Amino acid sequence: MAVATHAHYLGKEMYATAELRDGTSKLILSIKDWDLNWQSEYRFKHWIDLPAGTVIKQRFVYDNSSDNVRNPSAPPRRVTFGPNATDVMGSLWCQLLVKRTDDQSKLDQAILAKTVRETVASKSKVLAANPDDFSAHLQLGKIAIGLRRYTSAIKHFERAAAVDPKSADVLYFWGQALFRLRRNREGIAKMQECLRIDPNFLRAHHDLGFAALLEKNLTAAEEHFQKALAINPYDASTLKNVGNML
């Protein structure tokens, strides 16, 4: 349906192609003299059919020389990847529409799997350079929960907590991993630690309420659910569990 692209002052040329499984290639983007002000959405006059197995490839050209009239540095200086307009980066987005509604979940799963692979690779590289990087351990632990690798997740949370023992986020997700392993007593303890650091951590109140509900401790369950609703009266999960208690 459309493509959108992004680059900074040093961007010069942008190309994107759709490589089909039959060996043919379709040009879907061609900008030969990029301008920072062209960061926009480009809609196709005629939609392009991209069957399963299509690979989108992009090639961006950068010009960090004095010949680039848009170069913000004179003389040119070394630049690295970053979010500022004086840094260098480039990205391409594609807006797609599935032919059949049941294909949407397949597309979502494929995008999620790709994002997870890229994030794991990126954060693993960070840890190779700095084994004590807090953010990388936290992110990899959360991903491991999503992949049902709970023991691996706990190892990352242990490393993250060693760096920052007062992180409510680490304690919460650590508790989640323990719950998934049916180590409920330990999970409850981590959630309680989380709340001692941040009494307004809604998800910890919700999960402790749910744990109490499973143990048929309705008094404790109601207490935590009410605290969660005091933080967000419209939290759907909490409202559902309160309804189940009635």
Side-chain angles (χ1 to χ4, degrees):
M1 295 174 64
V3 294
T5 190
H6 179 88
H8 296 155
Y9 289 116
L10 299 183
K12 187 64 176 177
E13 302 175 30
M14 295 185 174
Y15 306 97
T17 56
E19 308 291 333
L20 279 60
R21 293 182 66 180
D22 63 5
T24 59
S25 176
K26 296 182 179 179
L27 183 66
I28 60 175
L29 176 72
S30 176
I31 300 177
K32 296 182 179 181
D33 189 13
W34 169 255
D35 188 305
L36 179 67
N37 298 311
W38 292 354
Q39 300 179 53
S40 185
E41 181 181 274
Y42 299 91
R43 308 195 66 81
F44 294 104
K45 184 176 182 179
H46 303 289
W47 290 358
I48 299 175
D49 186 26
L50 302 176
T54 297
V55 176
I56 304 296
K57 295 183 178 181
Q58 65 186 68
R59 184 172 73 89
F60 289 3
V61 178
Y62 300 89
D63 184 357
N64 187 23
S65 72
S66 55
D67 293 332
N68 181 358
V69 295
R70 301 183 183 94
N71 194 333
S73 300
R77 63 176 180 83
R78 182 177 183 272
V79 294
T80 58
F81 174 83
N84 299 315
T86 52
D87 299 323
V88 67
M89 58 85 71
S91 56
L92 174 76
W93 295 272
C94 297
Q95 185 181 57
L96 307 174
L97 178 67
V98 295
K99 289 185 175 181
R100 295 178 296 274
T101 55
D102 59 342
D103 285 340
Q104 184 65 56
S105 62
K106 297 177 183 177
L107 178 62
D108 292 341
Q109 291 171 11
I111 293 172
L112 177 60
K114 180 177 183 294
T115 302
V116 167
R117 287 195 303 270
E118 291 177 345
T119 303
V120 169
S122 173
K123 298 303 180 181
S124 297
K125 186 176 181 180
V126 170
L127 289 181
N130 178 13
D132 294 323
D133 187 278
F134 171 84
S135 178
H137 280 298
L138 176 58
Q139 188 68 32
L140 287 172
K142 291 162 68 174
I143 289 174
I145 289 179
L147 296 175
R148 300 183 181 181
R149 299 172 183 169
Y150 307 125
T151 302
S152 175
I154 289 171
K155 290 179 180 178
H156 282 296
F157 297 139
E158 289 173 341
R159 295 292 299 273
V163 178
D164 183 3
K166 297 297 184 181
S167 170
D169 280 340
V170 169
L171 293 166
Y172 170 75
F173 288 107
W174 192 345
Q176 280 243 320
L178 290 165
F179 280 141
R180 305 292 176 85
L181 289 172
R182 300 183 185 278
R183 292 161 58 179
N184 289 2
R185 290 292 93 197
E186 295 172 80
I188 288 171
K190 291 301 177 187
M191 294 289 179
Q192 290 171 337
E193 283 186 63
C194 168
L195 288 175
R196 280 194 287 272
I197 293 170
D198 182 1
N200 292 319
F201 203 115
L202 187 151
R203 301 320 308 166
H205 280 300
H206 170 274
D207 289 3
L208 283 173
F210 187 72
L213 192 60
L214 291 177
E215 294 180 345
K216 302 187 184 305
N217 186 342
L218 300 185
T219 300
E222 182 179 9
E223 178 185 352
H224 282 295
F225 288 148
Q226 291 302 327
K227 287 181 178 179
L229 291 176
I231 298 167
N232 180 5
Y234 305 104
D235 184 67
S237 296
T238 304
L239 288 170
K240 178 180 178 181
N241 284 311
V242 170
N244 291 337
M245 294 177 61
L246 301 178

